[in-house]
């Protein structure tokens, strides 16, 4: 399997800011779930070309944007300039450059499913979040991949090779499918309290094609999870 970061280097230019699912479905849902970030210190884990990081800086957050693809980061640096700290980082490695309890929020949009073993990654997120800090992420919905890729065993944690076709070119990308129970167990396993699990439909259908609207309003596509460090229901 080709290293995922290199797969994303190849995809970066065609990926741009992401397609309609990113721009019109995932991002609005994620920004709504994050709520007010004014004055908060945020790690965007798997920031890609930096669109969410930009939206968060515009909302007054102090953002560190990290990704393992050089080419994606070039785009993020060009977009963000001095407004955010941009770091080449493979999330499977320890966040050695981040002190304990240094983030108020860690956000990860559509990146966790590229990682096989979540526990060391989640443990680092837990360590670097302050007490009552939030980890909010979106990922492929496990039912979508179970059905969409016609997998024989829902309970397996398994790599899936996908091919994206765009502008006449084809790009290989490998991600990891895992069942819902495993997602929740891994998040809870490092100490987080899961506060929300969301399967949103688009906040607005503006700009989406009829086909996308039909699909997004009737089939699970992305799953969103909001978790908190420690048990602080009123935080
Ligand atoms: C679908 S893109 C999403 C990008 C961005 N969060 C967004 O919403 O537009 C997934 C991103 O995850 C990054 N990624 C995948 N595995 C990673 C890892 N182990 N460490 C850091 N970034 C990773 C990829 O390089 C890619 O930029």
């Amino acid at each position: 399997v080709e290293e995922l970061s290199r797969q994303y280097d190849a995809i970066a230019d065609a990926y741009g800011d992401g397609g309609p699912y990113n721009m019109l479905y995932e991002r609005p849902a994620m920004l709504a779930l994050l709520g007010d970030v004014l004055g908060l210190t945020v790690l965007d884990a798997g920031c890609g070309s930096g669109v969410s990081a930009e939206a968060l800086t515009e909302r007054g957050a102090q953002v560190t944007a990290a990704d393992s693809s050089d080419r994606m980061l070039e785009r993020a640096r060009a977009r963000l300039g001095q407004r955010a700290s941009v770091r080449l980082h493979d999330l499977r490695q320890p966040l050695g450059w981040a002190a304990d309890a240094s983030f108020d929020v860690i956000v990860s949009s559509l990146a966790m499913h590229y990682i096989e073993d979540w526990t060391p990654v989640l443990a680092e997120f837990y360590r670097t979040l302050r007490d009552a800090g939030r980890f909010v992420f979106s990922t492929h919905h496990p039912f979508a991949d179970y059905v969409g890729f016609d997998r024989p065993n829902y309970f397996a944690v398994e790599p899936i090779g996908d091919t994206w076709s765009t502008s006449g070119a084809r790009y290989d990308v490998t991600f990891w499918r895992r069942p819902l129970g495993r997602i929740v167990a891994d998040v809870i396993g490092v100490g987080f309290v899961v506060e929300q699990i969301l399967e949103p439909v688009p906040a607005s259908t503006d700009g989406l094609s009829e086909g996308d609207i039909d699909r997004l309003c009737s089939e699970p596509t992305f799953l969103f999870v909001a978790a908190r460090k420690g048990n602080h229901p009123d935080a």
Side-chain angles (χ1 to χ4, degrees):
V1 175
E2 188 191 1
E3 173 64 22
L4 190 274
S5 308
R6 303 293 76 79
Q7 293 180 335
Y8 258 97
D9 284 343
I11 290 166
D13 292 332
Y15 185 91
D17 297 343
Y21 279 23
N22 301 77
M23 311 249 273
L24 303 172
Y25 170 51
E26 196 280 340
R27 207 157 287 133
M30 180 56 88
L31 291 172
L33 191 51
L34 289 171
D36 184 7
V37 294
L38 181 66
L40 299 185
T41 304
V42 178
L43 171 64
D44 183 352
C47 64
S49 62
V51 187
S52 304
E54 182 174 48
L56 293 168
T57 59
E58 285 168 354
R59 288 164 171 72
Q62 191 183 323
V63 179
T64 300
D67 201 283
S68 57
S69 158
D70 282 314
R71 192 82 191 102
M72 280 296 208
L73 279 191
E74 275 175 38
R75 301 183 69 95
R77 284 201 180 92
R79 179 192 310 281
L80 293 162
Q82 300 302 310
R83 290 183 292 161
S85 163
V86 177
R87 279 189 168 265
L88 183 64
H89 179 79
D90 186 328
L91 295 167
R92 295 169 301 180
Q93 303 300 322
L95 295 164
W97 41 270
D100 293 359
S102 52
F103 299 117
D104 298 305
V105 174
I106 298 181
V107 57
S108 184
S109 284
L110 301 173
M112 289 300 290
H113 49 259
Y114 295 110
I115 294 171
E116 177 181 5
D117 181 5
W118 284 18
T119 296
V121 182
L122 294 170
E124 275 296 87
F125 290 170
Y126 196 86
R127 177 185 72 78
T128 55
L129 275 171
R130 68 159 164 84
D131 194 29
R134 294 169 84 206
F135 171 46
V136 183
F137 69 99
S138 63
T139 185
H140 285 191
H141 196 295
F143 300 162
D145 292 331
Y146 172 58
V147 174
F149 289 86
D150 197 20
R151 301 309 301 153
N153 180 359
Y154 170 73
F155 297 105
V157 177
E158 58 181 356
I160 294 188
D162 197 4
T163 303
W164 292 352
S165 299
T166 175
S167 326
R170 288 160 62 86
Y171 302 95
D172 293 326
V173 62
T174 310
F175 66 90
W176 290 84
R177 195 192 65 76
R178 72 198 66 229
L180 177 61
R182 181 64 182 265
I183 291 173
V184 173
D186 282 359
V187 172
I188 290 173
V190 301
F192 283 112
V193 173
V194 172
E195 291 190 328
Q196 279 173 288
I197 293 184
L198 298 180
E199 302 169 302
V201 295
S204 160
T205 53
D206 290 353
L208 288 167
S209 70
E210 284 296 320
D212 285 346
I213 294 168
D214 278 355
R215 178 167 173 212
L216 291 171
C217 294
S218 61
E219 295 176 20
T221 304
F222 300 148
L223 181 80
F224 291 69
V225 178
R228 196 179 292 278
K229 178 168 176 171
N231 193 2
H232 301 275
D234 299 319

